[in-house]
């Protein structure tokens, strides 16, 4: 089992940047594929980005490709989401999530979730 705690959210103007962090408990972080999923008010959770066990492979939603970068530091048990050129439509609660099955864009495939961190982009 792994516990996840996100941080780094906040209010930013359109065009600005934020870096989200997700700290994981336990010694088996490197055994989990990690992802970021977001949920806007009144909408379902949607995939943002995912990363492989070593960090060598990444996968992005088309809406964030070229603007967001997912990375991980297995020595620090942490996964990051660097968000640049933020848009109003990026406003959402951002969750990090973990699973052992493989790199995936399907939110239901993730077994463990953090509590989420709010990102608000003002236009």
């Amino acid at each position: 089992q792994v516990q996840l705690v996100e941080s780094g959210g906040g209010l930013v103007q359109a065009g600005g940047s934020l870096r989200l962090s997700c700290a994981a408990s336990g010694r088996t972080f490197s055994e989990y594929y990690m992802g970021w999923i977001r949920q806007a008010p009144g909408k379902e959770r949607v995939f943002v980005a995912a990363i492989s066990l070593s960090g060598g492979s990444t996968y992005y939603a088309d809406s964030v490709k070229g603007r967001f970068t997912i990375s991980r530091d297995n020595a620090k048990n942490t996964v990051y989401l660097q968000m640049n050129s933020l848009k109003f439509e990026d406003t959402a609660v951002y969750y990090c999530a973990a699973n052992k099955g493989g790199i995936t864009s399907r939110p239901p495939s993730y077994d463990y979730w953090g509590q989420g961190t709010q990102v608000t982009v003002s236009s």
Side-chain angles (χ1 to χ4, degrees):
Q1 191 171 356
V2 62
Q3 293 183 328
L4 306 171
V5 179
E6 302 96 335
S7 61
L11 174 65
V12 63
Q13 288 188 331
S17 298
L18 281 175
R19 188 176 84 154
L20 306 183
S21 299
C22 174
S25 65
R27 299 182 179 180
T28 60
F29 176 72
S30 60
E31 297 178 5
Y32 290 89
Y33 297 87
M34 300 298 297
W36 287 95
I37 293 92
R38 68 187 181 187
Q39 185 171 24
K43 297 187 177 180
E44 295 183 349
R45 292 184 180 184
V46 297
F47 169 77
V48 175
I51 192 166
S52 62
L53 301 179
S54 66
S57 296
T58 55
Y59 183 35
Y60 297 94
D62 287 343
S63 59
V64 306
K65 202 171 295 183
R67 300 188 298 121
F68 290 11
T69 303
I70 187 171
S71 62
R72 68 188 296 164
D73 185 337
N74 287 342
K76 295 182 178 180
N77 284 7
T78 302
V79 61
Y80 305 96
L81 186 69
Q82 178 66 44
M83 305 186 295
N84 298 329
S85 302
L86 282 161
K87 303 176 181 180
F88 175 76
E89 51 264 39
D90 294 318
T91 296
V93 176
Y94 283 71
Y95 299 90
C96 74
N99 87 94
K100 284 192 172 184
I103 193 167
T104 179
S105 64
R106 297 184 66 252
S109 295
Y110 287 91
D111 301 310
Y112 302 100
W113 294 75
Q115 83 289 348
T117 186
Q118 176 71 46
V119 172
T120 303
V121 184
S122 62
S123 57

